[in-house]
Amino acid sequence: MATVHLRIGDLIVSPPKDLKKPRGKKCFFVKFFGTEDHAWIKVEQLKPYHPHKEEMIKINKGKRFQQAVDAVEEYLKKAKGKDQIKPFCTHGECVSLSLKEQTDSDPEPSSVRRLVAGTVTGFKWESSVGYIHSLKSPFSLQPASSMEPITKRLKIIEEDTGSTSIQAADSTAINGSITPTDKRIGFLGLGLMGSGVVSNLLKMGHVVTVWNRTAEKCDLFIQEGARLGRTPAEVVSMCDITFSCVSDPKAARDLVLGPSGVLQGIRPGKCYVEMSTVDPETITELAQVITSRGGRFLEAPVSGSQQLSNDGMLVIVAAGDRSVYEDCSSCFQAMGKTSFFIGEAGNAARMMLILNMVQGSFMATIAEGLTLAQATGQSQQTFLDILCQGQMASTFVDQKCQNILQGNFKPDYYLKHIQKDLRLAISMGDSVNHPTPMAAAANEVYKRAKALDQSDNDMSAVYRAYIH
């Protein structure tokens, strides 16, 4: 396919300076017709629109896609006679780019970029149509004053409960299609979960400053492009939004209230996002002290594991300041597959403790089943095979059981942390006079596993509490 010359400064204009481009990728900032979204699109993912238009329409029969095509055609019709418009599309999707094809007689300025049209296999966009966009471009559909850097396509679900779910149309960590916020991001705590989160924030082009109690853990992320903060207070003072992800309520409080802590760096407008799984009382206390200094507070604990964190497939449950939740949109898309906003601060802590209570109790029950199978002369592998063909089949069950059978207890979610979550959930139940006998029984098994020095192993090491 022939190379097409794109003129910067007329119809093709670079995005604003504060809109960060994904590192290591030659791409253009594209606005999509139909969805009104924005994304960085790799150069090699574009090909001529008109020659492939009918093919794309046959592949994508959805109403939204047709509406997007109609919008492009209407745009081209209006532009006719003003400039020559040469549309393009991505593999399997239409993307109309508002651009002027440079003729041989045109001088090639230093700012001209070349766009090589081609196809990309294994790449799937939600059907939509768009054009190379700049806030300064005369072909923008919205005035510059109203345009915001928006992340990739989202599904917004308003539920009867008043909660909101923001779901990425596909895994951001896989396709790298989001537009990172221009806000400076801070991150405190580089443990099993935090490390994966920071890695994905950096991959998606966010500007991140990191701090960890064990400073050596920061080195790898500095090599990946992160900046180093000497104290939590310094990170907060340098950044617009600071996330923290630590082990328990005491660590969360110490991080905020301790020497050179977060509170010392809080100024009016600074955002603090607590991602640790802690009790609602701790969240209430932290929210009060942060907001008392003019800061903005959001809790956003995550459901998942080290592997899901590395893959950018966590589930984020947020509560508190709704505007902070919205400001964190591109961050949540970088680290997770779905995020939920469920109201006032404390709600996310309650929900996460319930979720982890169920998960921890389930893991203990699976371990109990495996050991009972062995004790009664049944094949543990056959037990697993049958289990994975039934209604309880899941990646979680398969992976945890396989690890148990292989004797592999490398931590994906620390046993000591799931026991902490069970303890906090039981306490929460007591506070509202609600019985939690199943969780209480599971908690005792995890306590026995901890007594057997399994704290720093994976939660599946609860199995060892049954065989010793």
Side-chain angles (χ1 to χ4, degrees):
M1 234 171 242
T3 298
V4 177
H5 298 180
L6 307 180
R7 186 192 301 279
I8 307 295
D10 185 3
L11 298 175
I12 305 305
V13 190
S14 297
K17 292 181 180 179
D18 59 355
L19 193 60
K20 302 299 181 184
K21 182 178 180 180
R23 294 179 301 148
K25 298 176 182 177
K26 185 177 182 182
C27 50
F28 288 96
F29 189 54
V30 174
K31 178 168 181 205
F32 291 84
F33 287 93
T35 61
E36 300 299 307
D37 296 329
H38 307 68
W40 289 102
I41 304 296
K42 295 179 183 178
V43 167
E44 65 268 20
Q45 289 165 354
L46 304 172
K47 61 182 179 181
Y49 165 69
H50 283 303
H52 295 273
K53 173 184 170 183
E54 295 304 322
E55 172 192 345
M56 299 303 158
I57 291 175
K58 289 179 182 179
I59 295 174
N60 302 279
K61 298 183 181 296
K63 182 179 179 182
R64 183 182 297 180
F65 181 80
Q66 186 56 54
Q67 289 175 340
V69 172
D70 292 343
V72 170
E73 295 298 328
E74 182 64 24
Y75 178 74
L76 295 177
K77 191 182 299 182
K78 289 181 179 179
K80 190 175 182 180
K82 297 179 181 179
D83 292 280
Q84 292 181 344
I85 307 299
K86 182 72 173 178
F88 280 72
C89 59
T90 63
H91 177 67
E93 313 285 340
C94 287
V95 178
S96 169
L97 308 179
S98 66
L99 51 97
K100 180 178 179 181
E101 185 174 14
Q102 186 174 320
T103 64
D104 292 338
S105 59
D106 290 330
E108 182 170 310
S110 60
S111 57
V112 167
R113 298 179 183 177
R114 298 176 183 272
L115 179 61
V116 181
T119 60
V120 179
T121 59
F123 189 90
K124 178 65 178 174
W125 286 92
E126 180 173 318
S127 299
S128 53
V129 181
Y131 61 94
I132 291 183
H133 172 69
S134 165
L135 304 192
K136 299 179 181 179
S137 171
F139 281 83
S140 298
L141 294 186
Q142 302 177 47
S145 60
S146 67
M147 195 69 71
E148 298 177 357
I150 301 174
T151 56
K152 68 168 194 171
R153 281 149 300 290
L154 302 175
K155 291 188 289 182
I156 310 296
I157 305 172
E158 293 287 351
E159 300 178 347
D160 293 338
T161 60
S163 70
T164 299
S165 167
I166 295 185
Q167 299 176 310
D170 41 22
S171 171
T172 52
I174 293 174
N175 68 35
S177 64
I178 72 170
T179 302
T181 178
D182 59 353
K183 297 183 183 299
R184 295 164 297 178
I185 305 300
F187 206 95
L188 312 174
L190 300 173
L192 287 184
M193 307 295 274
S195 293
V197 169
V198 170
S199 181
N200 280 310
L201 288 172
L202 290 169
K203 287 177 184 176
M204 296 302 131
H206 295 83
V207 176
V208 185
T209 300
V210 296
W211 174 89
N212 192 71
R213 185 176 56 184
T214 307
E216 292 77 17
K217 285 189 175 182
C218 296
D219 293 344
L220 176 62
F221 301 100
I222 301 304
Q223 294 173 16
E224 292 182 6
R227 301 171 183 178
L228 179 65
R230 292 174 296 180
T231 65
E234 183 176 86
V235 173
V236 173
S237 65
M238 292 169 60
C239 299
D240 303 303
I241 303 172
T242 301
F243 295 85
S244 72
C245 189
V246 293
S247 58
D248 56 34
K250 182 181 184 304
R253 286 192 178 96
D254 289 348
L255 194 62
V256 174
L257 304 172
S260 301
V262 166
L263 196 59
Q264 295 185 23
I266 291 292
R267 300 289 182 273
K270 295 282 187 181
C271 300
Y272 188 65
V273 183
E274 181 58 80
M275 300 189 74
S276 313
T277 300
V278 297
D279 56 283
E281 291 75 21
T282 296
I283 290 298
T284 299
E285 179 184 355
L286 296 182
Q288 288 175 346
V289 296
I290 295 296
T291 55
S292 70
R293 296 288 182 90
R296 301 158 62 202
F297 182 84
L298 183 77
E299 57 167 334
V302 296
S303 179
S305 61
Q306 181 185 33
Q307 186 60 55
L308 292 175
S309 177
N310 292 341
D311 294 342
M313 296 296 283
L314 295 170
V315 175
I316 301 105
V317 183
D321 190 326
R322 177 62 182 263
S323 65
V324 179
Y325 174 68
E326 293 169 351
D327 286 345
C328 292
S329 178
S330 72
C331 297
F332 289 155
Q333 288 178 79
M335 67 180 77
K337 64 177 180 179
T338 309
S339 67
F340 294 85
F341 181 84
I342 58 173
E344 64 182 16
N347 282 346
R350 297 181 183 95
M351 183 67 77
M352 191 56 62
L353 288 178
I354 295 169
L355 290 167
N356 286 359
M357 178 190 75
V358 171
Q359 185 180 52
S361 300
F362 182 56
M363 182 69 254
T365 301
I366 292 296
E368 191 170 288
L370 279 167
T371 53
L372 182 59
Q374 184 180 43
T376 57
Q378 304 306 304
S379 165
Q380 290 181 319
Q381 184 61 57
T382 301
F383 167 76
L384 173 57
D385 292 342
I386 296 171
L387 194 64
C388 289
Q389 291 298 317
Q391 291 181 323
M392 290 191 294
S394 68
T395 301
F396 175 83
V397 169
D398 184 50
Q399 289 181 345
K400 294 302 182 187
C401 289
Q402 291 290 0
N403 286 345
I404 288 173
L405 297 183
Q406 294 166 13
N408 174 19
F409 298 106
K410 180 181 177 181
D412 199 33
Y413 193 98
Y414 284 120
L415 184 142
K416 62 185 177 184
H417 289 170
I418 198 69
Q419 191 273 322
K420 173 262 298 180
D421 296 342
L422 281 164
R423 174 175 55 82
L424 294 177
I426 293 166
S427 177
M428 184 172 68
D430 289 343
S431 71
V432 293
N433 197 30
H434 183 81
T436 53
M438 308 303 289
N443 186 45
E444 292 304 315
V445 184
Y446 282 100
K447 286 165 62 177
R448 174 166 170 74
K450 287 177 65 178
L452 294 170
D453 295 325
Q454 301 302 310
S455 291
D456 292 326
N457 281 334
D458 186 69
M459 68 163 72
S460 56
V462 68
Y463 173 84
R464 288 180 167 167
Y466 288 96
I467 60 176
H468 288 86

